[in-house]
């Protein structure tokens, strides 16, 4: 379990647990700051100490290996796991350098030192300054509040009103600062991954170019670098989407905090001052407690907590409430007071003081006191529905986009003018004018206006297209399991959707798959479409920071839908939801699979060669473009063949292909249109590999540049096959 999300609504409660979570985030950032300082120091030593190059490299590698990023939430995407593992990978690269005799002319100041120093000074330094302001404002706010609450009720009304206004202004300022500080903390927690790793990645790219002895290792690193750049870019894209959602939620809560309180098992919770009576002649004192109340059980709990003394939490006191009565100012010299009586202490009331009259009314209502306040929630329901008009709107928009703008750069990412979008939606959703709107031929409606209207319609449905009920179930497979199990789980869940939802989803996903096929022109890869449509098709019922942190997994689900739409919508799933399959399961008695990095690592490789394929007249050709999907989704793209046809006699259809060492020198012709049969079952351990059972027939089997691996096509998906698991036909 990583760091817990900091909810904006908790800023207004400012509970002890909220403060604990804030301190955990602060401690993690301090740990990151120390790590960056150490990394910078090691980097400079590596540049300067040419005589002790070997020792400096070992120290640098050690620093990288021992650090691990924390994450917010309960799971990471595959891209984030690769980023987290990257520091350990960098360490392994350094350890594999055997000879370090040449002088390394490093010019890494611009690529490593400055970005990390800039991140540390501008980002982590800014958080430190925000922390100072936050701590100072905490001290000021609660000191002023306590001073204010000590004012006698007998003072003039004008003086009391001025004091109330001053406290309210100070409280608003404190809440504003608290919201900004919490937002900044979480932003840096997310930002630090790519901001720290990317400069290190650039440094490593330069490092290997100066080593002739590391030439082969540098070639390996290039493949890993390409994959990691994709991981970083995907993580960055998801970060941008998540940040905008977080800022929107923060602004909503800032405008109306009461309407965005999180649902929990407490009827009421918050701070109250409790009167503690002392023996004569000492009178009484007022101590701040964090109080919680459950109406069902009538249990009232209070914990003493003082923000200004380092946030020390006292012992909890719990009692069953008998009654609650408002205290009038003629019976006490303090305002906003009310009495509680516990069942185990009859006749001994406990006097509480709220922060304001409004706060007292809320407590009185929750505690069934004499006064109550009613809170009315207004729910606005947009007119978008999954009816005949709704299907017509989507189909008209899709038809227009595919006719006019399928190759437009940034399709669905470039937004239209809001007023035009609203006008188009009003025309399309009116049964009288819908058929009169010509989107395919009219120049009045830009493509970006049409795409924005389509997204706005989907967001305006009473519930998201993939429903609130199944939201959590869709997220689960995106967080774990093998590539095959993820597809199977999403396949199963799609067919649990209501018929109209499934029908609309099929229409939309088929269109998005068509858009992704034109990614070379419109730049909208499967990963980019996932970023755009993840929040559009999936949405949690309760808006919280924790839910927003799952946006990246929503994107992955959409990627899975796009890349596997034929299977998901055209075939029926298994009768039961498949269990997640471990990524490391191997078949019993199956021969060992060849590592793709012989002599260096025996674990499964992270690098995937030539991740994208371009289909042109039935031929497969390598591309240098960014892959269409992220590593988290189940991309059907595969490596490009690089080995030629075999010498006569080697490929015997009655024998397994076991000798991979003799393949290294073949570079003239490709093995074209060969078929092979699986003689062992295999479960994929990476999205670039194929899963199959005994007897599976592979089409167009070719040799991979990876020793011990083949490339082939199974059920329309192309990927890597362990060479000693199949025999040629």
């Amino acid at each position: 379990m990583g760091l817990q999300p900091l909810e904006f609504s908790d800023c207004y409660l400012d509970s002890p647990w909220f403060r604990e979570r804030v301190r955990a985030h602060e401690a993690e950032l301090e740990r990151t700051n120390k790590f960056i300082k150490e990394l910078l120091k090691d980097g400079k030593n590596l540049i300067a100490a040419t005589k002790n190059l070997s020792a400096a490299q070992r120290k640098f590698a050690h620093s990288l290996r021992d650090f691990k990023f924390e994450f917010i939430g309960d799971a990471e995407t595959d891209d984030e796991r690769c980023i987290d593992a990257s520091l350990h990978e960098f360490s392994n690269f350094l350890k594999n350098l055997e000879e370090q005799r040449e002088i390394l002319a490093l010019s890494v100041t611009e690529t490593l030192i400055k970005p990390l120093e800039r991140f540390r000074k501008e980002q982590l330094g800014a958080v430190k300054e925000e922390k100072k302001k936050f701590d100072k404002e905490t001290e000021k706010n609660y000191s002023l509040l306590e001073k204010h609450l000590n004012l006698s009720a007998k003072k003039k009304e004008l003086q009391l009103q001025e004091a109330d206004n001053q406290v309210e202004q100070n409280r608003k300022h404190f809440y504003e600062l608290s919201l900004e500080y919490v937002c900044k903390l979480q932003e840096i927690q997310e930002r630090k991954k790519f901001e720290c790793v990317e400069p290190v990645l650039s440094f490593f790219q330069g490092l290997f170019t100066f080593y002739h002895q590391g030439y082969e290792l540098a070639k390996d690193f290039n493949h890993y670098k390409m994959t990691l750049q994709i991981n970083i870019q995907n993580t960055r894209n998801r970060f941008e989407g998540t940040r905008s959602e977080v800022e929107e939620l923060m602004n909503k809560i800032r405008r109306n905090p009461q309407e965005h309180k999180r649902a929990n098992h407490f009827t009421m919770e918050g701070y109250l001052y409790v009167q503690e009576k002392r023996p004569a002649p000492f009178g009484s004192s007022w101590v701040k407690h964090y109080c919680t109340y459950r109406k069902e059980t009538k249990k009232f709990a209070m914990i003493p907590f003082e923000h200004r003394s380092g946030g020390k939490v006292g012992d909890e006191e719990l009692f069953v409430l008998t009654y609650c009565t408002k205290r009038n100012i003629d019976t006490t010299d303090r305002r906003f007071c009310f009495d509680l009586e516990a069942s185990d202490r009859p006749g001994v009331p406990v006097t509480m003081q709220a922060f304001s009259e409004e706060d007292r009314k809320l407590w009185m209502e929750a505690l069934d006191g004499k006064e109550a306040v009613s809170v009315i929630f207004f729910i606005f329901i947009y007119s978008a529905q999954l009816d005949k008009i709704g299907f017509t709107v989507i189909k008209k928009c899709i038809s227009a986009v595919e006719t006019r703008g399928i190759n437009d750069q940034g399709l669905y990412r470039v937004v239209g003018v809001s007023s035009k979008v609203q006008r188009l939606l009003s025309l399309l959703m009116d049964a009288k004018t819908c058929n009169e709107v010509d989107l395919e031929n009219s120049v009045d409606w830009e493509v970006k206006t049409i795409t924005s209207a389509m997204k706005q319609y989907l967001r305006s449905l009473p519930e998201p297209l993939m429903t609130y009920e199944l939201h959590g179930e869709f997220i689960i497979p995106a967080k774990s399991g093998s590539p095959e199990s993820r597809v199977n789980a999403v396949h199963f869940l799609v067919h649990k959707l209501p018929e109209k939802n499934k029908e609309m989803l099929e229409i939309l996903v088929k269109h998005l798959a068509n858009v992704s096929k034109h990614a070379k022109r419109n730049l909208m890869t499967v990963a980019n479409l996932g970023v755009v449509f993840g929040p559009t098709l999936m949405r949690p019922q309760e808006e919280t920071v924790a839910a927003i942190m799952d946006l990246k997994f929503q994107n992955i689900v959409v990627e899975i839908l796009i890349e596997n739409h034929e299977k998901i919508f055209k075939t029926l799933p298994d009768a039961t939801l498949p269990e997640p399959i471990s990524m490391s399961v191997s078949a019993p008695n199956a021969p060992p699979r060849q590592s793709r990095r012989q002599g260096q690592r025996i674990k499964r490789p992270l690098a995937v060669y030539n991740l994208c394929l371009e289909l042109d007249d039935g031929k497969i050709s390598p591309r240098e473009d960014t892959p269409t999907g992220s590593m988290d989704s189940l991309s059907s793209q595969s490596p490009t063949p690089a080995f030629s046809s075999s010498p006569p006699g080697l490929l015997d259809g009655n024998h397994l292909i076991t000798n991979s060492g003799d393949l290294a020198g073949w570079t003239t012709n490709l093995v074209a249109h060969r078929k092979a049969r699986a003689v062992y079952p295999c479960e994929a351990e990476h999205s670039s590999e194929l899963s199959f059972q005994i007897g599976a027939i592979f089409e167009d089997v070719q040799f991979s540049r990876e020793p011990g691996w083949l490339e082939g096509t199974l059920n329309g998906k192309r990927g890597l096959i362990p060479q000693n698991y199949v025999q040629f036909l």
Side-chain angles (χ1 to χ4, degrees):
M1 185 68 181
L3 296 172
Q4 295 186 27
L6 300 175
E7 299 295 344
F8 292 122
S9 57
D10 286 346
C11 293
Y12 292 87
L13 295 174
D14 202 11
S15 68
W17 304 283
F18 169 71
R19 288 291 178 146
E20 288 293 332
R21 292 195 290 271
V22 169
R23 281 196 291 273
H25 280 257
E26 291 171 348
E28 169 59 20
L29 289 182
E30 182 59 29
R31 193 170 71 92
T32 303
N33 183 46
K34 291 179 180 179
F35 160 70
I36 293 176
K37 287 176 66 176
E38 187 69 17
L39 195 63
L40 287 169
K41 178 183 176 182
D42 295 338
K44 292 174 182 178
N45 287 339
L46 188 61
I47 296 171
T50 54
K51 293 182 181 180
N52 300 311
L53 186 57
S54 176
Q57 283 179 327
R58 283 195 297 270
K59 178 68 171 63
F60 192 71
H62 191 273
S63 296
L64 291 172
R65 185 193 63 201
D66 287 350
F67 185 80
K68 186 179 186 307
F69 291 114
E70 288 289 356
F71 59 92
I72 297 176
D74 59 358
E76 293 180 289
T77 65
D78 290 346
D79 289 313
E80 288 174 327
R81 291 189 191 100
C82 290
I83 289 177
D84 289 343
S86 62
L87 297 180
H88 196 271
E89 285 294 316
F90 296 145
S91 175
N92 287 337
F93 282 127
L94 272 180
K95 291 178 181 178
N96 288 325
L97 289 174
E98 297 179 357
E99 296 184 3
Q100 303 165 348
R101 298 180 182 177
E102 296 181 13
I103 297 176
L104 187 60
L106 289 173
S107 57
V108 298
T109 303
E110 295 296 325
T111 59
L112 176 68
I113 304 301
K114 286 186 177 180
L116 288 178
E117 286 180 339
R118 186 162 56 247
F119 175 74
R120 180 170 166 264
K121 291 177 182 178
E122 296 177 3
Q123 302 296 333
L124 296 179
V127 172
K128 283 188 175 181
E129 291 301 317
E130 290 288 333
K131 181 182 185 304
K132 291 179 182 177
K133 292 180 183 178
F134 180 70
D135 292 340
K136 182 178 179 182
E137 198 63 27
T138 298
E139 176 74 23
K140 178 182 176 183
N141 179 66
Y142 288 102
S143 295
L144 183 61
L145 180 62
E146 188 166 329
K147 180 180 178 182
H148 174 66
L149 295 175
N150 283 323
L151 283 176
S152 173
K154 298 177 181 179
K155 287 187 176 291
K156 293 182 180 180
E157 183 63 27
L158 182 61
Q159 289 179 317
L160 292 175
Q161 187 175 356
E162 289 176 355
D164 287 348
N165 292 338
Q166 182 182 0
V167 168
E168 185 61 28
Q169 290 177 359
N170 188 73
R171 184 185 295 125
K172 287 181 179 179
H173 178 66
F174 172 69
Y175 289 156
E176 286 282 335
L177 192 65
S178 180
L179 285 169
E180 292 171 2
Y181 182 54
V182 165
C183 184
K184 189 69 175 177
L185 273 177
Q186 295 187 119
E187 178 181 334
I188 298 302
Q189 293 286 13
E190 290 292 292
R191 180 189 289 273
K192 67 182 181 181
K193 293 186 178 181
F194 53 80
E195 290 283 4
C196 293
V197 174
E198 201 165 30
V200 180
L201 180 64
S202 301
F203 161 75
F204 272 84
Q205 176 60 23
L207 179 66
F208 287 115
T209 59
F210 291 96
Y211 280 94
H212 176 71
Q213 292 86 351
Y215 176 68
E216 291 299 325
L217 185 60
K219 287 197 299 183
D220 244 355
F221 178 77
N222 282 332
H223 304 301
Y224 177 73
K225 179 199 72 172
M226 181 179 68
T227 306
L228 187 56
Q229 284 176 330
I230 296 166
N231 301 144
I232 291 172
Q233 188 57 46
N234 289 334
T235 304
R236 189 192 298 273
N237 289 342
R238 293 181 184 124
F239 164 76
E240 294 296 337
T242 302
R243 183 172 64 174
S244 64
E245 293 287 335
V246 168
E247 289 175 351
E248 183 180 347
L249 176 60
M250 181 181 71
N251 291 330
K252 285 181 182 178
I253 292 180
R254 176 183 288 156
R255 288 191 294 269
N256 198 336
Q258 291 296 333
E259 288 190 5
H260 289 83
K261 284 187 176 180
R262 285 193 303 156
N264 58 35
H265 50 276
F266 294 122
T267 307
M268 186 68 181
E269 60 180 321
Y271 283 101
L272 292 171
Y273 275 83
V274 180
Q275 185 181 33
E276 295 185 355
K277 297 180 180 179
R278 299 177 180 176
F282 299 106
S284 62
S285 63
W286 294 82
V287 180
K288 182 156 54 70
H289 287 66
Y290 192 81
C291 303
T292 60
Y293 177 66
R294 299 184 188 181
K295 182 174 288 188
E296 299 82 8
T297 59
K298 290 189 172 295
K299 288 185 177 179
F300 191 97
M302 52 187 189
I303 302 172
F305 183 78
E306 180 51 65
H307 293 82
R308 294 169 297 174
S309 61
K312 185 178 179 181
V313 181
D315 296 330
E316 181 183 53
E317 182 179 351
L318 181 68
F319 59 84
V320 176
L321 180 69
T322 303
Y323 73 85
C324 169
T325 307
K326 178 182 175 182
R327 284 288 294 269
N328 295 321
I329 57 175
D330 57 350
T331 62
T332 178
D333 64 347
R334 287 199 172 208
R335 299 181 301 156
F336 320 137
C337 293
F338 57 92
D339 287 342
L340 303 181
E341 184 173 301
S343 61
D344 59 343
R345 285 171 285 181
V348 184
V350 180
T351 302
M352 306 280 190
Q353 184 180 25
F355 286 179
S356 65
E357 183 60 32
E358 181 184 359
D359 193 28
R360 177 169 67 175
K361 287 181 179 180
L362 292 173
W363 276 103
M364 293 284 290
E365 178 192 18
L367 300 171
D368 294 326
K370 290 184 178 180
E371 292 188 5
V373 59
S374 299
V375 181
I376 301 175
F377 296 95
F378 295 94
I379 302 174
F380 176 73
I381 302 177
Y382 196 71
S383 59
Q385 298 290 337
L386 287 178
D387 52 12
K388 183 178 179 181
I389 291 180
F391 277 88
T392 302
V393 170
I394 294 298
K395 288 177 180 178
K396 284 178 75 77
C397 290
I398 288 176
S399 178
V401 170
E402 295 192 345
T403 302
R404 296 172 51 194
I406 196 72
N407 291 319
D408 287 5
Q409 285 193 4
L411 186 66
Y412 286 109
R413 270 203 158 171
V414 178
V415 296
V417 179
S418 179
S419 59
K420 291 183 179 180
V421 172
Q422 293 300 328
R423 187 157 62 91
L424 176 58
L425 266 179
S426 64
L427 291 173
L428 288 174
M429 299 187 69
D430 188 341
K432 298 178 181 178
T433 59
C434 180
N435 294 327
E436 298 175 5
V437 180
D438 184 4
L439 298 179
E440 294 188 21
N441 303 308
S442 175
V443 295
D444 295 336
W445 305 109
E446 297 175 282
V447 172
K448 64 182 181 181
T449 304
I450 299 171
T451 56
S452 296
M454 182 172 158
K455 290 188 292 181
Q456 182 62 41
Y457 165 81
L458 292 169
R459 293 193 190 107
S460 302
L461 291 170
E463 71 170 345
L465 200 58
M466 297 174 74
T467 72
Y468 291 132
E469 182 182 357
L470 295 177
H471 177 84
E473 295 184 50
F474 273 112
I475 292 293
I476 291 172
K479 291 182 176 180
S480 62
S482 67
E484 199 71 29
S485 67
R486 290 180 181 180
V487 175
N488 292 338
V490 172
H491 187 190
F492 176 83
L493 292 170
V494 164
H495 286 262
K496 286 180 66 177
L497 290 169
E499 195 58 38
K500 285 188 177 181
N501 295 59
K502 183 161 72 72
E503 183 182 350
M504 178 69 82
L505 185 63
E506 180 178 3
I507 293 170
L508 182 62
V509 170
K510 182 180 179 182
H511 165 63
L512 296 181
N514 188 26
V515 171
S516 69
K517 291 177 183 177
H518 295 77
K520 192 171 183 180
R521 297 282 299 278
N522 61 33
L523 306 183
M524 292 305 293
T525 62
V526 173
N528 288 340
L529 290 170
V531 170
V532 173
F533 280 90
T536 301
L537 300 180
M538 299 180 67
R539 189 169 67 252
Q541 196 154 11
E542 184 184 4
E543 269 191 297
T544 64
V545 174
I548 291 174
M549 291 303 167
D550 278 342
L551 271 179
K552 51 197 173 188
F553 299 109
Q554 295 174 195
N555 304 345
I556 293 168
V557 173
V558 174
E559 291 174 27
I560 292 172
L561 288 172
I562 296 172
E563 292 177 332
N564 302 274
H565 68 282
E566 289 289 343
K567 174 182 177 180
I568 289 173
F569 292 102
K570 300 300 182 185
T571 63
L572 292 176
D574 294 335
T576 57
L577 178 63
E579 293 292 330
I581 300 173
S582 170
M583 299 289 281
S584 59
V585 175
S586 294
N589 302 321
R593 285 184 271 184
Q594 180 68 41
S595 168
R596 283 192 262 162
R597 295 189 62 177
Q598 290 180 328
Q600 297 176 18
R601 294 200 303 261
I602 60 172
K603 68 176 184 178
R604 304 295 293 176
L606 291 174
V608 180
Y609 292 84
N610 295 330
L611 288 167
C612 251
L613 296 179
E614 182 178 10
L615 301 181
D616 183 18
D617 299 330
K619 297 180 181 179
I620 301 176
S621 59
R623 289 175 55 190
E624 298 298 329
D625 303 15
T626 303
T628 59
S630 70
M631 289 183 64
D632 303 278
S633 63
L634 304 171
S635 175
S636 58
Q637 312 301 333
S638 66
T640 303
F643 287 97
S644 63
S645 58
S646 60
L650 179 65
L651 302 178
D652 186 345
N654 297 321
H655 296 85
L656 292 178
I657 308 164
T658 56
N659 186 3
S660 62
D662 297 334
L663 303 179
W666 308 343
T667 56
T668 54
N669 300 309
L670 294 175
V671 178
H673 308 299
R674 295 298 304 271
K675 292 185 178 182
R677 177 189 292 111
V679 294
Y680 297 102
C682 176
E683 179 66 36
E685 297 179 6
H686 193 276
S687 59
S688 63
E689 300 171 14
L690 295 177
S691 297
F692 50 85
Q693 299 298 323
I694 296 175
I697 303 298
F698 302 94
E699 304 283 343
D700 193 20
V701 180
Q702 302 169 350
F703 287 101
S704 168
R705 67 173 64 182
E706 297 279 6
W709 292 82
L710 302 171
E711 296 176 12
T713 303
L714 178 63
N715 298 329
K717 181 178 179 180
R718 189 160 184 81
L720 293 178
I721 310 162
Q723 185 173 305
N724 52 352
Y725 276 50
V726 301
Q727 67 180 29
F728 275 109
L729 300 177

